[in-house]
Amino acid sequence: MPEVFDWVQPSLLWGTDARRTTPGAAFFSPPLLGFEGDDFMEQFLTSVGARRPEAFAARVAAPGVAAPLKLFQPSHGRYYLTCASLCCRQPGFPDREVRRADGESVFFVLRKRVGQSEFAWVAGPEGSLWQHVARPRELVPEGEERLPLMPAHTADGRPLHFGFIPAASGDTYVGRPGQTPVAPETGDPRRHDFDERIAGALESLLALRLAVADAERRDPARRRPVTESTLFFLLDLGEFLEANAGAVFSTLSAPTPTAPASLGGARRELALYLRRLKLPRLNARGEVAGVDDVAAAIARVCAQRPALRRGDALPFGYNAWDCREWTERTDTGAAGGPRAAADELTRYVFAPGVLDAKTAKTQALDVPKLSKFGEADRGEYFLRYVYERPQCDARRFYVSRGTVPFTLASFFDLDAPARPIRIALPADVSVAGLRKFKKNVAFMMSKELRNKMAQITGREKDILDGKPAGPEGGLDIGHICSFSIPVITLCAFIVLMIFLVLLNIIFWWLPFLKICLPLRLTAKDG
């Protein structure tokens, strides 16, 4: 049996609510973690090593209701990490050790989505550019930028890999005009979206269902995350059919066990296929209460889409189905399994004539370019983890599902948080303390600040007692306290003081001089 590996969320999140993204893909989608403060690494390692997962789960960054997640820069006081666990696809998801001695490596890549296409940042002879990726889950383009991953361990000893997201490099992820090649879509452009959201989610969901099959016999509550994920998978499949195969979607809730005669050819085969697949319906205690076909389950889930999209808490057993039997048979008679089930569903959906032709045209892609204001059109980004095994007969890449999409904020983003800036003034104002400063340091004090200081100087105790402060100073000048007085100025002051002292010795007696002026008086005759 060949080895199969998956990138999954860290074990710290396995027991938490995963409704931050679509639960059907959350388990296999690496999370993004947001931190505030320059000690973000200490915060991350502390939350990873904690016995309780609440501190770690609180760091998971989630997108807004109407806008994608925006990553701010370290200059804004925000830092972002991503982490995931590399596990074997076996019951319990045991950890996979990276054999670096054999040349194996792990890393993550930053991808950009434009329309229905995925682009990778690849270094070329004339500089880096965005290059189209035809098979994003299978290959890594030669020259694509590989971002490093570092190891860490949780409190229970399970390893995980984490990396720093270069959110401050948004300006470097800009394709110059004429430098971004756009390969035309081969076949139906909706195929990539279906493979990523529907077929890939079904394969991951069924693999998870088989992995917990033994554990649920001991604890039926272990089935709950799988059944909740099944709800959202059925919702995604129903919405895809509604948007691209409306005639088939409108017949899903029909009471007749066969497809209506209005459907013909491949559309009728798809409708019959969805009615042949049976899913056990579970009650509130997790017990089988009946059996529904997939078509009826999709119709019931789509009827509850407002509550599901709002993330309302749904009690276990409310429109919940067990998807394990989906893997136990295929129409072709081949051995059942997650991959076979996903391939079979894809074959029925993309059979000729099933999807509406009006949306099958390839739309012009909005490639990155410079706007008239000089700002780059950054678009939406996401991350993928990669496990590389070069020692195989053919180099193998195990690529994860994409993270939640995000945008990179610019330095002058209006929504960016303000980093607190504090400039500490000297605490030691003695001569010895002030002499430690460099000679080019100066402090400028405005008139307003000087007057405010004059109000409280010498009256600190009165102010603490509630008495009013004194009057402001009346001198309308600013003070500059400088430590860059030239040596010639100091020498001139010294010489001036010397001359003043000497002259004082010579002329100090001048005030005691008496000046007598003779006056001529005329005597009077008797």
Side-chain angles (χ1 to χ4, degrees), residues 78-205:
R78 297 295 184 270
Y79 300 87
Y80 300 91
L81 300 177
T82 177
C83 60
S85 297
L86 179 62
C87 299
C88 302
R89 188 178 293 179
Q90 297 177 9
F93 286 94
D95 297 303
R96 168 67 177 180
E97 180 183 359
V98 181
R99 301 171 182 173
R100 301 188 185 276
D102 296 336
E104 297 182 354
S105 62
V106 291
F107 54 91
F108 71 101
V109 294
L110 185 141
R111 298 286 175 84
K112 182 173 185 177
R113 192 184 306 281
V114 181
Q116 297 295 333
S117 298
E118 186 171 323
F119 292 84
W121 187 250
V122 179
E126 299 182 358
S128 299
L129 50 83
W130 289 107
Q131 178 177 313
H132 177 261
V133 182
R135 293 183 293 172
R137 294 293 300 275
E138 301 177 15
L139 296 177
V140 175
E142 188 70 25
E144 182 176 9
E145 182 183 27
R146 300 185 174 190
L147 302 174
L149 288 173
M150 294 165 284
H153 289 81
T154 61
D156 56 3
R158 299 204 63 160
L160 58 85
H161 303 271
F162 72 95
F164 178 76
I165 303 176
S169 302
D171 293 333
T172 65
Y173 291 107
V174 177
R176 292 189 291 274
Q179 238 191 351
T180 302
V182 180
E185 294 282 354
T186 58
D188 197 324
R190 295 165 291 188
R191 180 63 178 268
H192 173 78
D193 180 56
F194 185 87
D195 291 342
E196 183 74 11
R197 290 199 307 119
I198 310 299
L202 177 61
E203 180 183 2
S204 301
L205 179 63

Side-chain angles (χ1 to χ4, degrees), residues 244-259:
N244 302 285
V248 178
F249 179 81
S250 62
T251 64
L252 296 181
S253 59
T256 176
T258 60

Side-chain angles (χ1 to χ4, degrees), residues 172-314:
T172 65
Y173 291 107
V174 177
R176 292 189 291 274
Q179 238 191 351
T180 302
V182 180
E185 294 282 354
T186 58
D188 197 324
R190 295 165 291 188
R191 180 63 178 268
H192 173 78
D193 180 56
F194 185 87
D195 291 342
E196 183 74 11
R197 290 199 307 119
I198 310 299
L202 177 61
E203 180 183 2
S204 301
L205 179 63
L206 297 180
L208 178 62
R209 179 64 185 89
L210 295 176
V212 302
D214 294 333
E216 74 177 22
R217 295 189 182 98
R218 299 185 300 270
D219 183 10
R222 296 289 296 274
R223 187 189 297 172
R224 176 169 183 170
V226 184
T227 53
E228 288 184 348
S229 300
T230 304
L231 292 176
F232 287 87
F233 164 75
L234 294 173
L235 178 61
D236 288 341
L237 177 57
E239 290 183 340
F240 182 88
L241 295 177
E242 182 180 20
N244 302 285
V248 178
F249 179 81
S250 62
T251 64
L252 296 181
S253 59
T256 176
T258 60
S262 58
L263 294 180
R267 292 182 175 179
R268 182 181 179 84
E269 293 298 325
L270 173 60
L272 292 175
Y273 167 72
L274 296 177
R275 292 185 182 278
R276 285 195 300 267
L277 287 174
K278 305 298 182 181
L279 299 179
R281 185 173 67 254
L282 307 177
N283 60 20
R285 295 186 299 273
E287 302 170 346
V288 177
V291 178
D292 291 329
D293 56 61
V294 172
I298 292 176
R300 293 182 63 180
V301 170
C302 289
Q304 300 292 334
R305 78 179 72 184
L308 290 172
R309 288 307 182 192
R310 288 196 305 268
D312 294 348
L314 299 178

Side-chain angles (χ1 to χ4, degrees), residues 170-504:
D171 293 333
T172 65
Y173 291 107
V174 177
R176 292 189 291 274
Q179 238 191 351
T180 302
V182 180
E185 294 282 354
T186 58
D188 197 324
R190 295 165 291 188
R191 180 63 178 268
H192 173 78
D193 180 56
F194 185 87
D195 291 342
E196 183 74 11
R197 290 199 307 119
I198 310 299
L202 177 61
E203 180 183 2
S204 301
L205 179 63
L206 297 180
L208 178 62
R209 179 64 185 89
L210 295 176
V212 302
D214 294 333
E216 74 177 22
R217 295 189 182 98
R218 299 185 300 270
D219 183 10
R222 296 289 296 274
R223 187 189 297 172
R224 176 169 183 170
V226 184
T227 53
E228 288 184 348
S229 300
T230 304
L231 292 176
F232 287 87
F233 164 75
L234 294 173
L235 178 61
D236 288 341
L237 177 57
E239 290 183 340
F240 182 88
L241 295 177
E242 182 180 20
N244 302 285
V248 178
F249 179 81
S250 62
T251 64
L252 296 181
S253 59
T256 176
T258 60
S262 58
L263 294 180
R267 292 182 175 179
R268 182 181 179 84
E269 293 298 325
L270 173 60
L272 292 175
Y273 167 72
L274 296 177
R275 292 185 182 278
R276 285 195 300 267
L277 287 174
K278 305 298 182 181
L279 299 179
R281 185 173 67 254
L282 307 177
N283 60 20
R285 295 186 299 273
E287 302 170 346
V288 177
V291 178
D292 291 329
D293 56 61
V294 172
I298 292 176
R300 293 182 63 180
V301 170
C302 289
Q304 300 292 334
R305 78 179 72 184
L308 290 172
R309 288 307 182 192
R310 288 196 305 268
D312 294 348
L314 299 178
F316 183 63
Y318 180 75
N319 283 357
W321 292 271
D322 188 353
C323 62
R324 182 173 60 176
E325 294 187 9
W326 199 323
T327 65
E328 296 179 353
R329 56 169 299 280
T330 59
D331 282 0
T332 59
R339 184 70 247 176
D343 291 341
E344 185 179 71
L345 176 62
T346 303
R347 185 176 66 256
Y348 274 104
V349 171
F350 285 90
V354 172
L355 301 184
D356 300 332
K358 63 180 181 180
T359 59
K361 297 180 180 179
T362 302
Q363 299 178 354
L365 299 180
D366 183 16
V367 299
K369 59 184 178 180
L370 296 178
S371 67
K372 62 182 180 179
F373 299 103
E375 280 292 324
D377 179 16
R378 292 171 174 81
E380 286 189 359
Y381 302 90
F382 61 96
L383 307 176
R384 289 190 187 273
Y385 279 66
V386 181
Y387 172 39
E388 181 183 17
R389 302 189 69 192
Q391 75 273 24
C392 300
D393 295 336
R395 182 184 297 264
R396 291 291 305 273
F397 295 98
Y398 294 89
V399 185
S400 74
R401 296 177 62 88
T403 62
V404 294
F406 58 86
T407 59
L408 298 176
S410 64
F411 181 82
F412 298 103
D413 194 287
L414 297 179
D415 298 329
R419 172 188 279 268
I421 300 176
R422 296 180 178 87
I423 302 176
L425 294 177
D428 185 4
V429 293
S430 64
V431 176
L434 296 177
R435 281 173 57 87
K436 298 178 182 179
F437 290 94
K438 295 182 179 180
K439 299 301 184 290
N440 60 347
V441 178
F443 301 98
M444 178 175 291
M445 186 182 300
S446 65
K447 178 195 67 173
E448 291 77 12
L449 180 58
R450 184 189 60 79
N451 292 338
K452 190 61 64 178
M453 292 181 63
Q455 283 186 285
I456 63 176
T457 301
R459 301 180 179 87
E460 292 83 357
K461 187 176 183 304
D462 295 340
I463 295 176
L464 293 176
D465 293 338
K467 297 180 181 180
E472 294 186 358
L475 200 60
D476 192 14
I477 61 174
H479 286 183
I480 298 180
C481 179
S482 177
F483 300 92
S484 57
I485 301 176
V487 176
I488 186 64
T489 304
L490 295 177
C491 294
F493 273 110
I494 294 173
V495 172
L496 177 61
M497 295 300 298
I498 292 174
F499 274 99
L500 289 178
V501 172
L502 291 177
L503 293 176
N504 186 54

